[in-house]
Amino acid sequence: METRKSATAKPQAPIALLTDFGIQDQYVASMKGVILSLQPQACIVDLSHDVQPHKIIQAGYLLWSSYNYFPRHTIFVCVVDPGVGSERKILAAKTRHFTFLAPENGLLDAVLSEEAKFELVEVSMEKLENIVPANVAPTFHGRDIFAPIAAHLSAGLEIQALGTMRKEPFVHSPFVHGPEDVTKAAILHIDRFGSIITNVRAGELISAQKKIKAVAVGSNLVSRWVCTYTEAPENTPCLLVGSSGIVEVSVKSKSAAALLSVGTETPLKVYWQ
């Protein structure tokens, strides 16, 4: 097995991993092994590995809802990559406080649509000669490309060294703010408690109540607003504004998704006031 060259020893930035790999297989551990081989003192945080397989929009939401709570200079390594091995590009983005590494498949849209300014680099394999192994597995870029890049970025490598700078593009926001938006209402995520998290951002509770009459989740119409989960009546799906400022559908002490028999692909429709 080829030995990778060690990254230069410098103060290390934390590395946060976001994947759809789960934890029953060796994939996440292999990525961590590569990072620790290059940076033995690396601080690695698991953002989540329970993204539904290939569910890019869900990964984007999980990243967007958590990244601002991390220490400055954290490197977010996002590997939800159904196009692995194809001609899809790998992007490195640097905002004022954070660095992101992800496939070019829309995963970073939610974050970058929030950032006033950022640098964007298209990763070039020609620039990675001293970073990645000579024989990159076409089915596991997470281990052979993303992980070693993350280790070097953590040690202080600038993203400009990874490839070609791109002009800052217009990034389409995946969120819905009102009836005039082109973006369609959708379910971004169903959390462990069964709460249905939408892509609708309607402000604080009072503002949301004034804007939204009801939300249809599949064939289920939900119109009752509550401020907290416990405020809801028993067995009654309700609307609330969650901790990320997004409209959710929840049921007190039960799974709204199970009660309504819905999944992340279930159609969503907002009835605006």
Side-chain angles (χ1 to χ4, degrees), residues 110-186:
V111 165
L112 296 184
S113 67
E114 300 284 294
E115 294 288 336
K117 189 176 182 180
F118 57 88
E119 295 178 302
L120 194 64
V121 167
E122 180 182 308
V123 174
S124 170
M125 291 300 295
E126 289 74 19
K127 297 288 186 74
L128 304 182
E129 182 179 357
N130 296 318
I131 295 178
V132 304
N135 297 315
V136 172
T139 59
F140 200 178
H141 286 183
R143 180 193 64 197
D144 292 344
I145 299 179
F146 285 85
I149 288 176
H152 283 262
L153 290 173
S154 176
L157 184 72
E158 295 293 334
I159 66 169
Q160 293 85 348
L162 298 175
T164 306
M165 292 289 296
R166 278 195 184 178
K167 183 178 179 182
E168 185 176 311
F170 170 78
V171 179
H172 176 71
S173 172
F175 299 109
V176 176
H177 299 83
E180 69 283 352
D181 283 342
V182 175
T183 302
K184 293 183 178 180

Side-chain angles (χ1 to χ4, degrees), residues 29-76:
S30 297
M31 289 182 63
K32 290 182 178 181
V34 170
I35 293 169
L36 292 172
S37 294
L38 296 170
Q39 290 292 337
Q41 303 303 316
C43 173
I44 305 174
V45 179
D46 297 302
L47 196 160
S48 178
H49 300 297
D50 287 329
V51 176
Q52 292 179 42
H54 315 310
K55 192 71 173 178
I56 295 165
I57 192 172
Q58 181 190 30
Y61 160 74
L62 294 173
L63 178 65
W64 168 84
S65 63
S66 60
Y67 81 104
N68 272 316
Y69 299 98
F70 279 75
R72 291 187 179 188
H73 310 300
T74 296
I75 298 157
F76 294 90

Side-chain angles (χ1 to χ4, degrees), residues 72-124:
R72 291 187 179 188
H73 310 300
T74 296
I75 298 157
F76 294 90
V77 182
C78 311
V79 191
V80 177
D81 192 11
V84 63
S86 70
E87 294 183 359
R88 70 90 181 90
K89 306 298 182 182
I90 295 175
L91 299 179
K94 188 170 185 178
T95 65
R96 183 180 179 187
H97 299 308
F98 304 106
T99 299
F100 303 88
L101 191 64
E104 187 178 21
N105 58 15
L107 194 157
L108 295 180
D109 284 359
V111 165
L112 296 184
S113 67
E114 300 284 294
E115 294 288 336
K117 189 176 182 180
F118 57 88
E119 295 178 302
L120 194 64
V121 167
E122 180 182 308
V123 174
S124 170

Side-chain angles (χ1 to χ4, degrees), residues 182-201:
V182 175
T183 302
K184 293 183 178 180
I187 297 173
L188 294 178
H189 179 56
I190 295 174
D191 70 14
R192 185 171 182 270
F193 302 98
S195 294
I196 301 164
I197 301 170
T198 77
N199 66 338
V200 180
R201 297 176 70 182

